[in-house]
Amino acid sequence: MPREECIYNLIPKVHVEPVKPERYRSRFDPKVQPTGTTFGVRGKTKLEGANLGAAQKMEKPASARGFGRLPAKPDPKSFTRKGERSATAVVSRKRDDELIVVFDSSAGKFNYPGPSRPPVVKRDDKPIMGLKSAKNYITANAVETILAIPGNRARVRNEQPQYMKKEDFGQVPRYLGQVKDEIERENSMIEEFVRQNHDLMDEENRDRVEDMDENERLALVDALKSKWDHVNAKYQKLCHNVVFDTLGKVRRKETFEKELDQLEKDIQLLEKGHVVISECRCNDRY
């Protein structure tokens, strides 16, 4: 926004330079870690600034001094050697300004538990020849026979018994004969019981057989034929179908076929002429 014209603008203004305050300096030592903080106090690694005890001076590690450079030069001979970090022990020796590394394999050697197998025979090894025994086998066998315990040879020598050499080998045991006689006796009792019941049933049903009347037979044949016509009419309405897509149609067709076959058999049986009727009265005890 432009300044408005005023007569006071013609008066020169006096420039007053501000006074610079004195630089602030803390009265505490800046190289001492702060106390009372809880940051980084848990765990094994202690971070900078984690101090709850007395005031301690904060010292930076050597790697953080001078833009990451170490103050001393590295030793070219102090490097990790073969097997130094393994389970085997490494022993370094100096001889005539030369470094000798000795590996002690006994310190970290692994041993399998239990007995070990014998070593493989070498190609140059030869068996011991010319071994002789001073044992008299004839006398030893005689002494062993004399001192043997009398009894079954199989029991003395811990062998399997010879069943083929027994006296009753190949003969039928006695208990099998007893079992066979008992089975035959039971079978005879059952057959006698069944025969008696069959005779009683024959006597009861003998007087209940009579011939069918001729008029009744003809009427029964006519009734069966009329029923066959009725079932056949239903079957003819269903059998012209080519595809039976449902289970109900298939079952209905099979039912009609079975019923027609049974009616035909009954009609053929009654058309033979002489028919006998047998009246069966079953009692509760049979």
Side-chain angles (χ1 to χ4, degrees), residues 17-75:
E17 187 176 356
V19 181
K20 186 177 181 180
E22 187 180 358
R23 181 180 180 182
Y24 175 77
R25 297 181 182 275
S26 177
R27 59 179 180 176
F28 301 101
D29 189 1
K31 296 183 179 181
V32 177
Q33 295 183 2
T35 58
T37 178
T38 58
F39 179 76
V41 296
R42 296 184 180 181
K44 297 182 179 180
T45 304
K46 186 176 180 182
L47 303 178
E48 296 182 4
N51 180 19
L52 292 177
Q56 300 177 1
K57 290 188 177 182
M58 181 175 56
E59 296 181 358
K60 294 183 179 181
S63 60
R65 302 172 187 170
F67 300 100
R69 295 181 180 179
L70 297 176
K73 294 182 179 180
D75 187 6

Side-chain angles (χ1 to χ4, degrees), residues 168 171-183 185:
D168 56 349
Q171 300 179 4
V172 180
R174 296 179 181 178
Y175 73 93
L176 291 180
Q178 298 175 0
V179 172
K180 185 177 180 180
D181 296 339
E182 186 176 356
I183 292 173
R185 186 167 57 255

